[in-house]
Each structure stands twice: as C-alpha cells, then as structure tokens.
Amino acid sequence: MSTYTRRQLSDAPFLAAAAGATPARRPVWFMRQAGRSLPEYRELRAGIGMLQSCFDPELVCEITLQPIRRHGVDAAILFSDIVVPLKAAGIDLDIVPGVGPVVTSPVRTAADVRALPRLRPEEVGAVTDGVRLLVGELGQTPLIGFAGAPFTLASYLVEGGPSKHHERTKAMMHGDPAAWNALLGALTDITIVFLRAQLEAGVDAVQLFDSWAGALSLADYRRYVLPHSERVFAEIADAGVPRIHFGVGTGELLGAMGEAGADVVGVDWRVPLTEAVRRVGPGKALQGNLDPAVLFAGRPVVEAEARRIADEADSAIAMGAAGHIFNLGHGVLPDTDPGVLTALVEFIHEL
C-alpha cells in the first residue's frame, strides 16, 4: 500500500485483542471519546465550527489526545467526522449544531449521481497531517482511523440531512437500483481514498461506521449495501491492520456485517456478546457493548454492567470469538461525567 513504516506496537492490548492474540489486559476505548463530554474539548472548540476543526491538523491532534491523557484508554480514535471526505471532495454541506450534517443540494437522480465529485488524496491533506502529528505524540497507544460506510453517507446525501425513516433513501434504493448502485459505487471510491490516505499517514487500525444500516432489512442489506462495504474492506486489506465494522441497531445484520471483511465486529447494547458470536461466527473479535445511558446510573450499576459484559465476552471467546475490545454500544453521550469514564477504564483494566 505504501512505503510508510508503521509503528511497531506488538504489546498494545487493543491490537492484540483485535488480532486474536492474548492481550496483557482487557483493552477499552470509547466511541466519541474525543468530544462533547470533555470540558477541555468544549473550551478548545469554543467559537470554532466542527468542520473547521476537522481540517485543522493541530486541533485534530490535540482533541484526539485529550481522552488519552484524561482516561488512559487503550486506543485513540482520530477526531474527524464521517462527512469530512464529502466536504473535501467539494460537496456543499455543513454540520449544523443541534442538527447534524446538512447537504445543500441532495442527491436524488441519476444525473445528480453523475455530477458527484471524486476525492483526491491531497484534498484530505489536513487530516493526514493530523495523523502524522498524532503518530509522533501517541507513543505506544494505537491510533484508529475511520470513515463512514457508503450506505450511511448515501443516506445523508439523499435525505439532505439526518433522517428517522430514510424514506427518500429507500425509495431511491428500490425505485432506481441502477442510480443507487452508481451512488454507492462513487461513495465507496471516496471512502477507500479517505481510508487509504489515513493508512499511508500511519493509523494503526480503521473503523467503518455504518451508523444507519440498522434501518434496513437483512435482505435489503445483502442486496443493496453489502457488496459495497465488502469492496471497502477488500481494498484496504493489504495495509495489514485491524479493520472494524460497526453499526447501530444492526443486531439482525451482524452475520452479514461479519461477512463484509472486517476483523472486528462492533456490537451495540441490544444484543448480548454471546448471541453476537453466534450470529457473526467464529474467528472474528467483538467490540462493545455497554449502553451509554448506563453511565448515568451510578458507579455500582456501571461496574455491575461492565462486569456482566466482560463475563459475556469471555464466554463469547470460549464460543469462538477471536477476542474482545470493551467499548460502549454507541458513542459517549454529551452530558456524561468524564470522571465516570475514567473510573470505568480503571475498572476494566482490573478485571
């Protein structure tokens, strides 16, 4: 893939668990750990737009490092957003506070799809500069790069923003399959370019977020989405780093998501890890899956739930899972007490 000499992090618990080896301790990191729950993040970002932050290498580096310093988690995840490669390619969109990504001109016809720009690696140079800064700062802590999966990116583009029912997306998917597959093909190309750029800059693992795939039936996922996600994972396989696949509300899709090509499958809080390994099958590591809302229930409850998940994970490994990475079942909620997260990391490390 590149002439980059990747850091040698053979003792990193996160990478060991992802690869099916025995980690020195149970690894833990949190989705959305670098973000709104941290007061130092809110102070740093005051008056600076989300997308502006994502294209500032120094800010990307500092925000990514904040939860490493505070919580002592076993992996950093690059501070970015799934729409960053779309913005970099030239699509007119913005992240509106309290709303999310908003697209100025939604993509709803074959002509709209043909007009989509392609992404060139140099257009995400600010992101890769941030990765290079982080590689120099993180020491022995692995860095996870990420991208949005083609279906989730398509949903934002077709709907024009966040959607509860994805009605326009599904209408295009079923009503014009040719345009749909052309759209997902273009977004797959963008996603591959974005992930390869991060890999060549030095990330140690990647996660593909299919945040909205849970809105689909298994049959529709297999027909309209899975081939494109498979291509993403296939095109980055030569990097030789762990590949993680995650979606929300995707319990019925876990088997198919496991087939897409990832080494680790993320599981949200709705499905026990012992059931997840049955659906995913043996040979892949699992990641998850504490309900983020439980973090508001008090330390005894948090510890009891964390212990339950750790026990389920050990059972899942006995059933054939390659390993377990402790995480939440989705992202850290904005009003979460950072002290609770720090205490949870310490507790997981003691198990």
Side-chain angles (χ1 to χ4, degrees), residues 218 222 249-259 265 267-268 270-284 286 316 319 321:
L218 177 58
R222 284 191 176 279
T250 50
E252 297 302 317
L253 310 181
L254 284 175
M257 291 179 72
E259 294 169 18
V265 177
V267 184
D268 76 10
R270 298 169 179 87
V271 179
L273 295 175
T274 46
E275 176 60 24
V277 69
R278 291 190 184 97
R279 299 182 186 186
V280 172
K284 295 183 184 293
L286 300 178
M319 295 166 65

Side-chain angles (χ1 to χ4, degrees), residues 12 25 52 59 65-66 80 89 96 149 169 182 190 197-198 264 284 292 308 324 328 335-336 342:
R25 64 188 184 194
Q52 182 182 349
L59 270 180
L65 289 170
Q66 286 177 345
S80 188
V96 178
T169 305
I190 287 173
Q198 293 175 56
V264 183
K284 295 183 184 293
R308 174 186 63 79
H324 176 243
L328 303 181
D335 294 329
T336 304
T342 303

Side-chain angles (χ1 to χ4, degrees), residues 167-178:
E167 59 266 35
R168 293 185 179 91
T169 305
K170 292 181 179 182
M172 182 180 185
M173 189 173 70
H174 289 284
D176 193 348

